[in-house]
Amino acid sequence: MQFDSTNKPIGIKRIRLAFKNSQRAFTWLAKHESAFKQELILLVLAIAVVFVWQITLYEKIMLLVSVLFVMFAEVVNTAIEAAIDRIGLEIHPLSGLAKDLGSAAVLIALTICALVWGGVFVSNLG
């Protein structure tokens, strides 16, 4: 089947299809990607902490956004890995580089998350 760029859905149908595709992707990630499963647990824990911790609304939003950013990076990393594996399973330096760059993006996101959480924690010590 070939993609038809002239006959794409529009309006509510496009939104509904996009939501359905995203839901399918989240389900796949939750079943097959251990890092994503760990990040889902991290998100649940973060939500619990945010509801209990007496901090400003801005701080609560920043904490949750930082965890969601890690999950975003993981989704992009997984997409890169899937595309590279689709192209071919043979070892190639550029394939390895693409996968390493995706992994680096997750590491950067985790660092940002840790800095945000650390900053909010330190600013609320007193």
Side-chain angles (χ1 to χ4, degrees):
M1 176 186 242
Q2 192 168 1
F3 180 71
D4 181 7
S5 63
T6 61
N7 193 22
K8 296 192 295 188
I10 58 172
I12 296 295
K13 182 178 181 182
R14 184 193 63 79
I15 293 169
R16 186 177 48 77
L17 290 172
F19 183 80
K20 186 177 179 181
N21 292 339
S22 297
Q23 187 178 22
R24 186 174 61 241
F26 281 121
T27 301
W28 186 91
L29 285 162
K31 285 182 182 177
H32 296 65
E33 283 295 314
S34 59
F36 191 78
K37 291 176 194 176
Q38 292 169 340
E39 291 154 3
L40 279 174
I41 293 168
L42 181 63
L43 179 62
V44 169
L45 292 173
I47 290 169
V49 167
V50 162
F51 275 107
V52 173
W53 200 0
Q54 295 302 312
I55 54 177
T56 67
L57 177 62
Y58 176 77
E59 289 170 320
K60 291 179 182 198
I61 290 169
M62 289 306 299
L63 293 176
L64 291 176
V65 165
S66 71
V67 174
L68 290 170
F69 184 62
V70 171
M71 296 176 78
F72 168 78
E74 189 65 51
V75 170
V76 171
N77 182 43
T78 303
I80 291 169
E81 290 176 351
I84 293 300
D85 291 346
R86 166 63 175 87
I87 292 168
L89 295 178
E90 71 277 354
I91 295 177
H92 189 281
L94 290 176
S95 296
L97 176 61
K99 289 183 175 191
D100 291 348
L101 291 169
S103 180
V106 174
L107 179 60
I108 291 168
L110 284 166
T111 303
I112 291 168
C113 185
L115 289 171
V116 169
W117 279 79
V120 170
F121 179 75
V122 169
S123 71
N124 284 281
L125 282 177

